Amino acid sequence: MWTFNISLLEVALRTVIIYAIVLAGIRLTGKREVGQMALFELVLILLIANAVQNAMTGPDTSLTGGIVGACTLLIANSIVTRVSSRSRKLRSALEGTPTVLVLKGNMIKKNMEKEHIASEELEQAFREHGISTFADVGFTVLEVDGSISVLRKDELPSNVRPYHRIRFIMNNKN
């Protein structure tokens, strides 16, 4: 039952390949919090899990094959988490970067379309932050975790300190 042969190595390799492809695919679909997923997005993830299961284990439907697949996924995820926590470039590639959606009351339509955010979703975020109109919004950002951060115009700093901006740009180049 616990013999380690080439078929189990094949299960591990297949699992790593599927993990990488599904991770890339989900990353390409955009930023969403799990709690903000629409029903069709949840169904998609469940169907993907079912569709790739056979691709990971192949003809090996044994308990051992399932354990090897699950352990491989856990190890692969642990490695990706550790490496991305140390590499800003990899973290940016995997998680994305924050996207400005509204600046000083003006919606940035190009960014809204790129991130597939409807104006109704923005309005909901405004209400959650106690803001009633676009005119009151100073800055709205779609964060890498899919949440929407909103600052009122009166919450923005009144004086611009350019050296903070320069330090931010320099830190992002690492």
Side-chain angles (χ1 to χ4, degrees), residues 100 102-105 137-141 149-153 156:
V100 177
V102 177
L103 185 60
K104 296 182 181 174
V137 177
F139 193 64
T140 303
V141 177
S149 298
V150 181
L151 290 176
R152 295 174 157 278
K153 280 185 179 176
L156 292 176

Side-chain angles (χ1 to χ4, degrees), residues 5-47:
N5 59 30
I6 194 68
S7 68
L8 295 181
L9 288 174
E10 183 181 343
V11 168
L13 180 61
R14 287 168 163 255
T15 301
V16 167
I17 292 168
I18 294 299
Y19 175 79
I21 290 170
V22 171
L23 182 64
I26 290 174
R27 169 66 183 97
L28 292 174
T29 63
K31 304 172 195 151
R32 291 277 185 182
E33 282 187 273
V34 174
Q36 290 182 342
M37 267 196 261
L39 179 60
F40 63 87
E41 292 168 324
L42 176 61
V43 170
L44 174 67
I45 288 175
L46 292 172
L47 290 175

Side-chain angles (χ1 to χ4, degrees), residues 10 14 54 57-62:
E10 183 181 343
R14 287 168 163 255
N54 289 336
T57 59
D60 187 350
T61 58
S62 68

Side-chain angles (χ1 to χ4, degrees), residues 5-161:
N5 59 30
I6 194 68
S7 68
L8 295 181
L9 288 174
E10 183 181 343
V11 168
L13 180 61
R14 287 168 163 255
T15 301
V16 167
I17 292 168
I18 294 299
Y19 175 79
I21 290 170
V22 171
L23 182 64
I26 290 174
R27 169 66 183 97
L28 292 174
T29 63
K31 304 172 195 151
R32 291 277 185 182
E33 282 187 273
V34 174
Q36 290 182 342
M37 267 196 261
L39 179 60
F40 63 87
E41 292 168 324
L42 176 61
V43 170
L44 174 67
I45 288 175
L46 292 172
L47 290 175
I48 286 173
N50 189 46
V52 301
Q53 184 267 331
N54 289 336
M56 287 190 296
T57 59
D60 187 350
T61 58
S62 68
L63 176 62
T64 307
I67 291 170
V68 168
C71 288
T72 302
L73 284 171
L74 291 169
I75 291 167
N77 193 61
S78 177
I79 291 169
V80 167
T81 301
R82 289 174 193 227
V83 171
S84 68
S85 71
R86 293 184 179 113
S87 169
R88 192 175 293 209
K89 288 180 183 179
L90 179 61
R91 187 171 51 252
S92 177
L94 290 175
E95 296 177 359
T97 56
T99 305
V100 177
L101 302 175
V102 177
L103 185 60
K104 296 182 181 174
N106 297 313
M107 187 180 351
I108 303 173
K109 291 185 189 235
K110 179 181 86 172
N111 291 353
M112 297 277 295
E113 290 170 4
K114 176 183 143 210
E115 298 293 350
H116 308 288
I117 301 291
S119 60
E120 292 82 13
E121 289 178 87
L122 272 185
E123 292 167 0
Q124 177 183 350
F126 296 164
R127 288 190 298 274
E128 289 172 355
H129 288 85
I131 299 173
S132 58
T133 66
F134 273 87
D136 295 334
V137 177
F139 193 64
T140 303
V141 177
L142 177 63
E143 303 291 354
V144 296
D145 67 356
S147 63
I148 298 176
S149 298
V150 181
L151 290 176
R152 295 174 157 278
K153 280 185 179 176
D154 59 4
E155 294 175 326
L156 292 176
S158 58
N159 59 344
V160 177
R161 295 179 283 180

